[in-house]
């Protein structure tokens, strides 16, 4: 396991172009969402009753907001915007993935060239793989949604229904995590021109080290998040601002490290 982490770390360091592109993409996406939320919440908060107002004012504000959301078309434009942004995100995800995976599997080429060549050559198969993964991710909802509806209908409170659903929601998370790993290997096979069937067989045979490697780096990402949040509370001022601004870059590097480590594992097991 340590060997794959070391090789993966070195390979991730050799992907500065892909890391910077993903960082700029995440930063631009964050700014866009921030502006959208700001445009909705700021006018709304101007009407929010202050602490010196009676409770009746708060109740009136909540009742009016509920009426406007449910009985009017006020929210329709915002929902359409969210739908458009979600669609754009879905279209861009396989495009960027194609550049990242091609860049990881063709390190003999120039960094910028191999990233854009991957986008040119692999966008269509990556988009098909993305749609397949999305369909498989949503498949359990065919069974889970009716079950959730029955639980909410027969439970005495929402808390009781949610408690009954927690094991199934946890199962959905585990299922989604395993699908993520499985399709990571499918994308390796596509990018490196390996046989998809043989790659899936390798995934099945060595699923325990694959999952263990992913969990190690997932815990590392969680640890980084915890350290960042703690540091911003303890070190107020410029240091906290710099740490907070650099956090997305470190987080993206950890994602690159996770992908490159898995590719090193696949290469070693395939050759073995």
């Amino acid at each position: 396991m340590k060997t794959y982490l070391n090789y993966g770390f070195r390979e991730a360091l050799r992907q500065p172009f892909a890391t910077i592109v993903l960082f700029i993409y995440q930063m631009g996406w964050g700014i866009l969402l921030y502006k959208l939320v700001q445009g909705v919440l700021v006018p709304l908060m101007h009407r929010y009753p202050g602490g010196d107002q009676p409770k009746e004012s708060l109740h009136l504000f909540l009742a009016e907001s509920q009426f406007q959301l449910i009985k009017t078309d006020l929210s329709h434009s915002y929902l359409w915007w969210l739908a458009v942004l979600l669609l754009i995100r879905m279209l861009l995800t396989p495009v960027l993935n194609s550049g990242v995976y091609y860049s990881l599997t063709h390190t003999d080429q120039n960094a910028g060239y191999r990233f854009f060549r991957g986008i040119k050559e692999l966008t269509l198969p990556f988009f098909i793989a993305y749609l397949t993964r999305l369909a498989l991710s949503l498949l359990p909802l065919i069974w889970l949604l009716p079950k959730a509806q029955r639980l909410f209908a027969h439970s005495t409170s929402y808390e009781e229904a949610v408690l009954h659903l927690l094991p199934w929601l946890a199962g959905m998370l585990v299922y989604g995590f395993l699908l993520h790993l499985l399709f990571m290997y499918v994308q390796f096979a596509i990018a490196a021109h390996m046989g998809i069937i043989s790659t899936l067989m390798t995934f099945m045979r060595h699923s325990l080290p694959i999952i263990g490697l992913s969990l190690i780096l997932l815990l590392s990402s969680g640890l980084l998040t915890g350290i960042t949040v703690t540091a911003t509370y303890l070190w107020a001022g410029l240091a906290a601002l710099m740490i907070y601004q650099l956090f997305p870059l470190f987080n993206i590097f950890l994602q690159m490290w996770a992908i490159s480590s898995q590719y090193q594992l696949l290469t070693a097991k395939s050759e073995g």
Side-chain angles (χ1 to χ4, degrees):
M1 199 75 69
K2 183 179 178 181
T3 302
Y4 305 133
L5 288 171
N6 289 336
Y7 276 117
F9 183 80
R10 288 199 292 269
E11 287 302 316
L13 288 175
R14 296 174 62 186
Q15 308 298 326
F17 187 86
T19 303
I20 294 300
V21 168
L22 291 179
F23 172 69
I24 294 173
Y25 168 72
Q26 294 287 359
M27 183 174 63
W29 192 259
I31 293 173
L32 182 61
L33 287 179
Y34 172 77
K35 290 296 184 182
L36 179 63
V37 173
Q38 185 186 43
V40 176
L41 290 183
V42 170
L44 185 64
M45 296 309 295
H46 281 311
R47 301 179 57 193
Y48 188 82
D52 56 341
Q53 299 294 321
K55 289 185 178 181
E56 289 76 11
S57 300
L58 177 59
H59 294 158
L60 181 61
F61 171 80
L62 295 175
E64 181 186 358
S65 300
Q66 183 180 8
F67 176 82
Q68 289 184 341
L69 287 173
I70 298 175
K71 301 297 184 181
T72 70
D73 60 352
L74 179 66
S75 62
H76 292 181
S77 60
Y78 300 117
L79 292 175
W80 275 111
W81 266 110
L82 288 176
V84 169
L85 290 176
L86 179 61
L87 179 62
I88 293 173
R89 179 95 177 186
M90 292 173 64
L91 292 174
L92 287 178
T93 296
V95 173
L96 293 173
N97 282 345
S98 62
V100 169
Y101 280 77
Y102 190 92
S103 186
L104 282 170
T105 55
H106 295 78
T107 54
D108 55 314
Q109 302 175 14
N110 177 269
Y113 170 78
R114 66 178 183 249
F115 185 86
F116 288 108
R117 183 171 181 179
I119 292 176
K120 181 180 178 181
E121 293 186 3
L122 302 179
T123 292
L124 181 58
F126 268 57
F127 186 71
I128 295 172
Y130 179 78
L131 289 180
T132 305
R133 177 190 165 189
L134 183 63
L136 290 174
S137 299
L138 297 177
L139 189 61
L141 294 179
I142 297 175
W143 175 82
L144 187 59
L145 287 178
K147 182 177 181 62
Q149 188 177 13
R150 289 194 300 270
L151 280 173
F152 278 105
H154 295 92
S155 298
T156 57
S157 64
Y158 289 116
E159 292 79 6
E160 180 185 352
V162 170
L163 285 175
H164 282 95
L165 281 174
L166 278 180
W168 304 105
L169 295 176
M172 282 285 293
L173 289 176
V174 173
Y175 174 70
F177 172 72
L178 294 176
L179 269 184
H180 167 72
L181 288 178
L182 179 66
F183 276 87
M184 181 185 292
Y185 276 70
V186 169
Q187 290 173 118
F188 285 145
I190 296 171
H193 303 291
M194 303 167 66
I196 292 180
I197 300 299
S198 61
T199 301
L200 292 179
M201 292 299 295
T202 302
F203 178 86
M204 296 300 178
R205 285 197 302 267
H206 305 284
S207 56
L208 287 180
I210 289 171
I211 293 172
L213 185 62
S214 180
L215 288 176
I216 289 173
L217 288 165
L218 188 63
L219 290 173
S220 300
S221 179
L223 182 63
L224 176 64
T225 303
I227 291 173
T228 303
V229 172
T230 304
T232 53
Y233 276 106
L234 295 179
W235 301 332
L238 181 61
L241 179 62
M242 292 178 63
I243 292 172
Y244 183 78
Q245 294 298 324
L246 289 174
F247 169 72
L249 183 60
F250 292 142
N251 192 44
I252 289 170
F253 177 78
L254 279 175
Q255 295 175 27
M256 296 294 296
W257 187 7
I259 298 172
S260 58
S261 297
Q262 293 287 354
Y263 182 64
Q264 295 304 316
L265 190 153
L266 172 62
T267 303
K269 299 302 181 183
S270 299
E271 292 174 352

